[in-house]
Amino acid sequence: MSVRVLLVDDQPLMLVGLGILIGDTDDLEVVGEAGDGREAVRLVRELRPDVVVMDIRMPGMDGIEATRQATAEPDPPKVLVLTTFDDDEYVYGALRAGASGFLLKSMALDAILDAIRVVAAGDALIAPSVTRRLIADFAGTSAPAAPEPDAEPAADSSLIAGITDREREVLALVGQGLSNAEIAERLVISAATAKTHVARLFAKLGARDRVHLAIIAFETGLVPRRR
């Protein structure tokens, strides 16, 4: 089955370019287009796309608010937020709103297609090296200061109370931006076992993707925050 894609951008040329490129693929299908966030949310409810490629700067409702509303829907789509620049403020806002990741408009169009496929499959959108910088910066700028050494560790919060000790180890490594293969090497387990642990974390924590897992790792104290 084709991945159903909704394109959202106030630049007609971007919509046309992506639409033509997706039209030449066998596994992706454009089911709708919108020029602003309000129309995007309406089409999400009406068309039930698998992936929304969402611009940020749009008149009226911007892409961050549209992402927040779209991901709050039952059986929500994955959202890839487009940015003109690698602007941390927009990236953080998009992640808080529920986006699965972000794309730069300077990327090659076929790279954007690959990213749509990755997110549709439920995998991480961004490379581990970028995840490390992005999530570390996210935690450092948006989270409260780390607790004192003798304080009750945040990792004992109710959010992760139901996961095993091994799953905590895996979650902490995801928070550091490690891939399944890197986690397997670090913990001396097979790649298949690492993948199984990550899948269980998705289910137990209700995480959208690896970026969401990484944020949970920071928010619960499994990965030290930057001071």
Side-chain angles (χ1 to χ4, degrees):
M1 295 179 60
S2 297
V3 175
R4 295 164 49 81
V5 181
L6 174 64
L7 302 177
V8 184
D9 202 299
D10 65 344
Q11 297 181 14
L13 286 178
M14 178 63 72
L15 292 176
V16 170
L18 281 175
I20 291 174
L21 196 67
I22 289 175
D24 288 336
T25 68
D26 296 327
D27 60 334
L28 304 177
E29 173 191 7
V30 175
V31 295
E33 298 179 355
D36 61 69
R38 194 174 305 280
E39 177 71 0
V41 173
R42 185 186 71 80
L43 290 178
V44 164
R45 293 168 178 163
E46 177 182 322
L47 302 174
R48 313 307 302 175
D50 301 309
V51 176
V52 180
V53 179
M54 182 86 73
D55 190 15
I56 286 184
R57 297 180 181 177
M58 295 182 291
M61 182 186 294
D62 66 15
I64 291 178
E65 178 58 28
T67 296
R68 183 176 294 109
Q69 294 191 26
T71 56
E73 289 291 307
D75 191 20
K78 300 290 186 180
V79 177
L80 306 185
V81 172
L82 286 169
T83 62
T84 302
F85 304 102
D86 189 2
D87 189 323
D88 285 349
E89 178 182 353
Y90 291 118
V91 175
Y92 303 150
L95 291 177
R96 294 188 190 101
S100 296
F102 72 99
L103 303 173
L104 298 177
K105 288 187 176 180
S106 59
M107 291 175 62
L109 289 178
D110 53 353
I112 295 177
L113 294 184
D114 289 339
I116 293 173
R117 295 184 181 101
V118 168
V119 169
D123 295 326
L125 168 65
I126 49 182
S129 60
V130 179
T131 303
R132 294 184 184 105
R133 176 189 67 80
L134 178 63
I135 303 303
D137 287 348
F138 174 88
T141 59
S142 67
E148 295 300 318
D150 57 351
E152 185 71 15
D156 290 335
S157 69
S158 59
L159 179 62
I160 58 172
I163 68 175
T164 66
D165 289 343
R166 175 61 91 186
E167 288 166 349
R168 289 187 183 214
E169 291 180 304
V170 171
L171 181 59
L173 295 176
V174 171
Q176 296 173 40
L178 272 64
S179 66
N180 286 348
E182 291 171 325
I183 291 171
E185 182 178 359
R186 182 74 63 87
L187 297 180
V188 196
I189 57 178
S190 70
T193 298
K195 183 177 180 180
T196 297
H197 284 310
V198 171
R200 288 174 179 166
L201 287 169
F202 283 142
K204 289 185 177 182
L205 302 180
R208 298 180 301 274
D209 46 45
R210 295 178 80 94
V211 173
H212 193 185
L213 283 180
I215 292 173
I216 292 173
F218 274 94
E219 290 181 338
T220 55
L222 289 181
V223 177
R225 304 182 191 278
R226 300 189 314 164
R227 292 182 179 275

